[in-house]
Amino acid sequence: MSQDSTVNQDAEGSAPLELPSDPQRRFWIGATCAAGGVAGAAVAVPFVGSFAPSEKARAAGAPVEVDISTIPPGQMRTYEWRGKPVWVIHRTPEMLEGLSKVNGDLADPNSDRPGYTPPYAKNEWRSRKPELWVGVGICTHLGCSPTPRFEPGAQPSLPDDWQGGSLCPCHGSWFDMAGRVYKNKPAPDNLEVPPYQYISDSKIVIGVDEDNPA
């Protein structure tokens, strides 16, 4: 037996157990630690990576460009901005004509209540240009998403002289084609008009206006 080896005797006097020499022991301990470190790193990298925001999350607060030329008259497209559904409605002349017919039925026809209508939308259309309405599709009552009911006329859960708009399916609030809420409904305010502006005759950008630069 070499002098570098260590011999151990168990309590019952059984054959001696030869342990690895100190150099051998140091090698195996080092190898085990290295393997553990690699495994730990393999687990840690995805874990730490999970804290990094995704591309979608980074873009969530960024302005959204919309080609309005692709939206047919009488139709709506929904876009996401800051996690909110934003409706862009291309209103027809008939839809615009119906706005003045419901003023007496609305809770805030002139959009005087603060917080939901920027100055450039404080008009009978609640928009920069009559034909295009941009609004957040979230009911101001408890945050449900209203259902578009653009077709005028009598319909279930709506008045016989309905001029078009949207109906909140959760608690029955009515909104006209400019997102203005009807009187005596659970929703306390008109639908929000987000910041937006035209960048050409055929494009708008949501999230940017005079008070909210990009």
Side-chain angles (χ1 to χ4, degrees):
M1 188 179 299
S2 70
Q3 293 180 345
D4 291 334
S5 300
T6 302
V7 178
N8 190 27
Q9 184 90 13
D10 67 16
E12 298 180 356
S14 58
L17 175 65
E18 187 172 7
L19 300 178
S21 64
D22 287 342
Q24 290 175 314
R25 211 168 5 176
R26 285 194 296 271
F27 170 79
W28 288 112
I29 291 173
T32 302
C33 291
V38 170
V43 173
V45 168
F47 180 72
V48 172
S50 67
F51 287 101
S54 66
E55 290 294 333
K56 183 176 181 180
R58 280 195 289 267
V64 177
E65 189 174 304
V66 176
D67 185 353
I68 59 177
S69 67
T70 64
I71 307 175
Q75 299 296 313
M76 176 185 85
R77 298 259 174 88
T78 301
Y79 301 87
E80 182 179 358
W81 173 70
R82 293 189 175 178
K84 301 176 181 180
V86 176
W87 295 351
V88 179
I89 304 174
H90 187 171
R91 294 179 292 200
T92 63
E94 292 76 19
M95 290 175 171
L96 292 171
E97 185 180 347
L99 293 179
S100 60
K101 296 179 180 179
V102 299
N103 281 339
D105 300 323
L106 303 176
D108 184 19
N110 298 318
S111 300
D112 292 327
R113 297 177 184 175
Y116 289 90
T117 310
Y120 49 79
K122 288 195 173 185
N123 49 51
E124 63 178 301
W125 314 296
R126 290 192 82 220
S127 59
R128 288 187 179 273
K129 295 183 179 181
E131 67 274 13
L132 197 78
W133 189 69
V134 182
V136 176
I138 297 177
C139 180
T140 55
H141 179 218
L142 292 177
C144 296
S145 184
T147 301
R149 296 285 187 89
F150 294 170
E151 187 70 24
Q155 300 172 51
S157 303
L158 294 171
D160 291 344
D161 59 349
W162 179 247
Q163 298 297 317
S166 58
L167 166 68
C168 182
C170 293
H171 302 98
S173 293
W174 303 341
F175 301 91
D176 75 348
M177 290 302 304
R180 298 178 298 178
V181 68
Y182 278 70
K183 293 177 181 177
N184 305 316
K185 296 298 176 182
D189 294 293
N190 298 334
L191 298 181
E192 177 187 359
V193 174
Y196 77 97
Q197 63 186 23
Y198 281 79
I199 54 177
S200 72
D201 289 340
S202 61
K203 291 185 178 180
I204 64 169
V205 58
I206 301 168
V208 174
D209 65 8
E210 294 85 339
D211 297 322
N212 298 273

